[in-house]
Amino acid sequence: SYDILDVQGPATLDGTLNVTLLGGNPTAGTDFAIVMATGGLGGTQFSTVNFPAPASDWSITYNTNDVVISYQTALPVELIDFKVFKEKTHILLEWRTASETNNRGFEIQSSVGSLQSTVRNWKTLGFVAGQGNSAGQHDYQFLDKNPQPGINYYRLRQMDFDGRFSFSKIISVEWDGADGNGFSVFPNPVSRGVLYLEMPFQNEKEWELTLINAIGQTVRQASFQNVETSVYEWKIPDLPTGVYWLQMQDGQRSWAQRVVVK
């Protein structure tokens, strides 16, 4: 059993919350709704929360009408290395575990944005099976075959067979397109609101152009087909100065280039 603050109406949170155990630790994966307010909490939070040691086993979640604290012991997978490498046409992720217990495997998740962004929309790229139970080191790899223009962020969601999970640290790499495709953009930096795209072949399919700013927002789009010359002129006036990524695709091929606007 535990104490609950039940408010009929709105409530405002402030001050210090001290969490004290009167017996042993609760069962791992247990949630405790310690505050409930029928009129909502108005986005307020406790200024300080003190959990029993080790505090890393505890977390607090502020919802619209309640506050929930959760107890979750650390998952028994020791991740000792997690790296990212930019290859010619893809991004390679490598990681190593020192030991594994009850490890179902790893979801590989990615997000694209700027270094200043604090909110990320994560998507799952794939899954790599774990070793279950192992006392030795194991190496893993995953290929992101379709990295996006800009800074690509990656993390691992390690999953146990009993449904528990934890996240790795976040690593990142900047992707400005695959090498050796023959496309070129000029002038770069762009100074007069006109961008020229030179292609190594005559295009028969419709190409889609997308210009993305440093925080992942689409700021310009265009399409073209059957251009008589190998150079396509794209007028992009009134763009703020900064770094952008030009993405070009025809449904089968995809190419990206870092573009600077002065």
Side-chain angles (χ1 to χ4, degrees):
S1 63
Y2 59 97
D3 294 331
I4 302 174
L5 178 61
D6 192 355
V7 179
Q8 300 301 310
T12 300
L13 302 178
D14 197 3
T16 299
L17 171 66
N18 292 308
V19 180
T20 303
L21 295 176
L22 300 180
N25 288 330
T27 303
T30 304
D31 296 329
F32 304 93
I34 59 171
V35 178
M36 293 185 290
T38 59
L41 300 172
T44 58
Q45 299 183 4
F46 295 108
S47 57
T48 304
V49 179
N50 297 318
F51 287 121
S56 59
D57 288 349
W58 295 84
S59 63
I60 186 167
T61 303
Y62 296 93
N63 300 311
T64 302
N65 295 94
D66 60 33
V67 178
V68 177
I69 60 174
S70 303
Y71 177 73
Q72 183 70 275
T73 56
L75 293 175
V77 171
E78 185 181 358
L79 185 68
I80 58 175
D81 199 15
F82 183 31
K83 296 179 180 179
V84 59
F85 301 93
K86 184 166 64 172
E87 304 291 345
K88 192 171 184 179
T89 59
H90 58 262
I91 291 176
L92 173 65
L93 303 176
E94 292 185 348
W95 64 99
R96 174 178 294 175
T97 61
S99 62
E100 302 178 25
T101 303
N102 197 34
N103 180 27
R104 176 172 172 259
F106 305 88
E107 278 187 353
I108 296 85
Q109 298 185 345
S110 73
S111 176
V112 179
S114 70
L115 289 172
Q116 292 77 28
S117 177
T118 58
V119 178
R120 309 208 176 280
N121 295 316
W122 294 96
K123 66 177 182 179
T124 299
L125 300 179
F127 178 81
V128 176
Q131 297 296 318
N133 297 295
S134 173
Q137 291 188 359
H138 288 279
D139 294 320
Y140 297 89
Q141 287 186 337
F142 182 84
L143 286 179
D144 182 0
K145 298 180 180 179
N146 189 31
Q148 301 302 302
I151 301 174
N152 287 252
Y153 294 86
Y154 298 94
R155 69 181 183 184
L156 302 174
R157 183 175 184 257
Q158 188 274 319
M159 305 169 64
D160 274 8
F161 284 107
D162 59 11
R164 294 187 297 158
F165 63 88
S166 67
F167 292 104
S168 71
K169 68 177 182 179
I170 298 173
I171 58 177
S172 65
V173 64
E174 184 173 345
W175 179 257
D176 54 8
D179 296 332
N181 49 40
F183 290 96
S184 62
V185 171
F186 62 92
N188 194 6
V190 180
S191 58
R192 296 185 178 180
V194 178
L195 187 66
Y196 295 93
L197 175 64
E198 185 173 12
M199 297 169 290
F201 49 80
Q202 185 176 2
N203 62 303
E204 298 177 353
K205 297 183 178 181
E206 182 178 50
W207 285 86
E208 298 288 339
L209 298 179
T210 304
L211 198 62
I212 302 169
N213 64 17
I215 60 174
Q217 297 172 326
T218 298
V219 295
R220 293 286 193 280
Q221 286 183 305
S223 62
F224 65 92
Q225 187 175 11
N226 296 327
V227 179
E228 294 181 358
T229 176
S230 61
V231 178
Y232 175 73
E233 178 185 279
W234 191 16
K235 296 180 180 179
I236 48 173
D238 305 322
L239 279 177
T241 59
V243 177
Y244 297 81
W245 283 270
L246 171 64
Q247 186 175 38
M248 180 176 174
Q249 53 190 358
D250 69 349
Q252 294 180 338
R253 290 165 292 189
S254 180
W255 169 79
Q257 171 69 47
R258 185 174 184 267
V259 175
V260 177
V261 174
K262 284 189 174 181

